[in-house]
Amino acid sequence: MEAHAEHAHHHRHEEVEVNPATWSDPKRYAWLLGIIVPLSPFIAWALVELTGFGGFWFLGPVLVFVAFPILDMVVGLDASNPPDSVLKFLEQDRYYRWCTYLFIPIQFGGLVLACAEWGSGDLGIVESIGLALTMGVVGGIAINTAHELGHKREAAEKWLSRVALAQTGYGHFFIEHNRGHHVRVATPEDPASSRLGESFWAFLPRTVSGSLRSAWEIETARLDRLGASHWTFRNDILGAWVMTVVLFAALAVAFGPIVLPYLVLQAVIGFSLLEVVNYLEHYGLLRERKEDGRYERCRPEHSWNSNNVASNVLLYHLQRHSDHHANPTRRYQALRHVEEAPQLPTGYAGMIVLAWFPPLWRRVMDRRLLAHYGGEATRANVHPRRRDQILERHA
């Protein structure tokens, strides 16, 4: 009852026209905390220098998968939305763009630092792996930064998106996500939409291979329309991969070939972090087919959402995923909480850890998914290999 009254008050507040000149964003300076992750290799280096304890090279995963889930629980939720009358003003404020731009030079500065440490020979194998894990976390969060920039219309932001993706060698994400996932989201045809009964470990190879295949098909179809060869730098996938090859080659020349296995390791960790986020964003959700055979329009109830403040600040409001699918070019600071969207029990940071343990994931998420569909498992996007077993269990 109290929550209903708060929601009603919230809507009454939104109906009042607010002068942008008098409104202030309570999260305005919190978005700068998004650079904590790319700063983690620098912080780890300083702590190792101060203490001599090499365990600090593991700071990145500890920060994201231990500290942020705890912060999500401590800081709690924020379902408030900026008033409609300030949205245009809010999106035009270039301060928010610079918060994302700032991520990229720090990201690559950390990569250079990591290669210098790997190349120095001063780190043991465990410490080197710890640093690779930290850089993998940076690379994974960088894909989210690339996601924010890649949806924008400005050419400079699209280019920065591709630069951010170079560290993980996942440049094809720029194509498949924008022109594939957003078209087929919450359908069995989408390699980035996970299914009821599908573990993350089964989803990972399916989405990696499927997204790559989808991106290639999308891009070569575009080149075919232009009458251009597939094997040209006009192919945006090849251009993105060349960027990664040049980056890794330059780092190997500068710091020695010893850096290459660690660069590959951090890249795999980075894109796997993206894919576990994909796993939890649309788990089991399904758009219905209309009479003409096409899928219904993507609506808020086709994305899982979370209003946990800490993870939202870390991920530039990625957790307000329903509004993102409804308004892909809307900037992160203006994304809105949508009541109709199913809600995750905690923020993405904690949900990622849960996804690594399929029995725990199923215990927490399957009942939420079924409750969202009124107990009708047939309305969900069900893993085809386990369909009969799942439908019988939930009959």
Side-chain angles (χ1 to χ4, degrees):
M1 189 74 182
E2 183 178 316
H4 177 75
E6 182 181 342
H7 174 57
H9 171 76
H10 171 65
H11 273 279
R12 285 198 301 272
H13 174 72
E14 282 197 329
E15 290 169 4
V16 177
E17 181 103 359
V18 176
N19 184 346
T22 63
W23 182 83
S24 61
D25 177 11
K27 297 178 185 175
R28 181 177 179 85
Y29 298 107
W31 298 115
L32 288 171
L33 296 175
I35 64 172
I36 286 179
V37 170
L39 282 173
S40 60
F42 296 100
I43 298 170
W45 173 81
L47 291 172
V48 171
E49 289 294 308
L50 284 171
T51 66
F53 177 56
F56 281 118
W57 291 119
F58 289 85
L59 178 64
V62 172
L63 189 65
V64 173
F65 304 125
V66 179
F68 271 92
I70 293 171
L71 282 172
D72 272 335
M73 291 188 288
V74 172
V75 178
L77 306 174
D78 176 19
S80 63
N81 289 328
D84 289 343
S85 54
V86 308
L87 286 182
K88 185 175 180 181
F89 169 81
L90 188 60
E91 290 212 80
Q92 290 175 344
D93 188 341
R94 299 190 71 86
Y95 160 80
Y96 295 96
R97 304 185 194 189
W98 283 102
C99 288
T100 54
Y101 300 166
L102 184 59
F103 187 104
I104 297 173
I106 300 174
Q107 169 197 352
F108 282 95
L111 188 61
V112 169
L113 170 66
C115 287
E117 291 295 325
W118 289 323
S120 70
D122 294 337
L123 301 187
I125 185 69
V126 173
E127 293 172 321
S128 294
I129 291 172
L131 180 53
L133 291 172
T134 290
M135 291 312 305
V137 169
V138 174
I141 303 296
I143 298 177
N144 177 63
T145 305
H147 168 264
E148 169 64 24
L149 295 169
H151 273 293
K152 302 307 173 281
R153 295 188 177 93
E154 293 187 13
E157 289 183 294
K158 290 181 181 294
W159 182 79
L160 285 173
S161 174
R162 299 180 193 197
V163 170
L165 291 168
Q167 178 180 334
T168 49
Y170 229 55
H172 61 279
F173 169 80
F174 178 87
I175 295 162
E176 201 287 324
H177 179 83
N178 291 357
R179 289 149 52 193
H181 174 64
H182 271 260
V183 174
R184 298 176 301 208
V185 63
T187 71
E189 290 77 30
D190 180 28
S193 292
S194 58
R195 301 155 177 173
L196 171 62
E198 182 179 33
S199 73
F200 166 65
W201 303 108
F203 171 76
L204 181 60
R206 180 175 74 83
T207 189
V208 170
S209 61
S211 296
L212 176 57
R213 185 167 54 251
S214 171
W216 185 261
E217 290 171 355
I218 290 168
E219 183 62 6
T220 53
R222 181 185 72 86
L223 293 169
D224 286 342
R225 290 193 298 271
L226 297 173
S229 168
H230 298 172
W231 304 100
T232 171
F233 284 121
R234 295 175 71 181
N235 184 322
D236 288 337
I237 295 177
L238 297 181
W241 289 345
V242 166
M243 195 179 292
T244 296
V245 170
V246 170
L247 172 66
F248 284 17
L251 291 170
V253 169
F255 301 105
I258 186 62
V259 305
L260 289 174
Y262 297 113
L263 286 172
V264 172
L265 176 60
Q266 65 83 33
V268 172
I269 293 164
F271 70 67
S272 298
L273 183 54
L274 160 76
E275 297 300 0
V276 73
V277 169
N278 275 336
Y279 176 78
L280 62 92
E281 284 177 333
H282 304 283
Y283 177 72
L285 299 175
L286 180 66
R287 288 154 58 194
E288 294 182 3
R289 282 191 186 272
K290 299 187 292 185
E291 291 183 0
D292 62 4
R294 294 188 300 175
Y295 287 104
E296 63 179 326
R297 184 177 180 274
C298 184
R299 300 197 307 273
E301 53 263 42
H302 298 129
S303 303
W304 290 98
N305 276 239
S306 169
N307 283 307
N308 287 87
V309 175
S311 291
N312 260 323
V313 168
L314 175 69
L315 297 171
Y316 303 118
H317 257 164
L318 179 67
Q319 298 176 149
R320 291 192 167 182
H321 209 60
S322 290
D323 194 27
H324 166 68
H325 272 276
N327 302 282
T329 61
R330 178 171 285 174
R331 294 188 179 273
Y332 69 92
Q333 67 272 21
L335 287 172
R336 305 171 71 74
H337 165 70
V338 183
E339 284 292 332
E340 301 82 52
Q343 299 297 310
L344 293 169
T346 189
Y348 279 16
M351 295 305 298
I352 288 170
V353 177
L354 194 66
W356 293 338
F357 302 96
L360 293 177
W361 173 270
R362 287 194 294 269
R363 177 172 294 187
V364 172
M365 288 301 296
D366 285 9
R367 60 184 177 84
R368 283 178 174 263
L369 176 64
L370 290 169
H372 176 64
Y373 284 124
E376 299 179 45
T378 55
R379 297 174 59 193
N381 185 5
V382 181
H383 191 24
R385 288 202 295 269
R386 300 188 60 201
R387 185 175 184 83
D388 292 342
Q389 176 188 353
I390 290 169
L391 294 184
E392 182 180 350
R393 184 193 310 157
H394 298 293

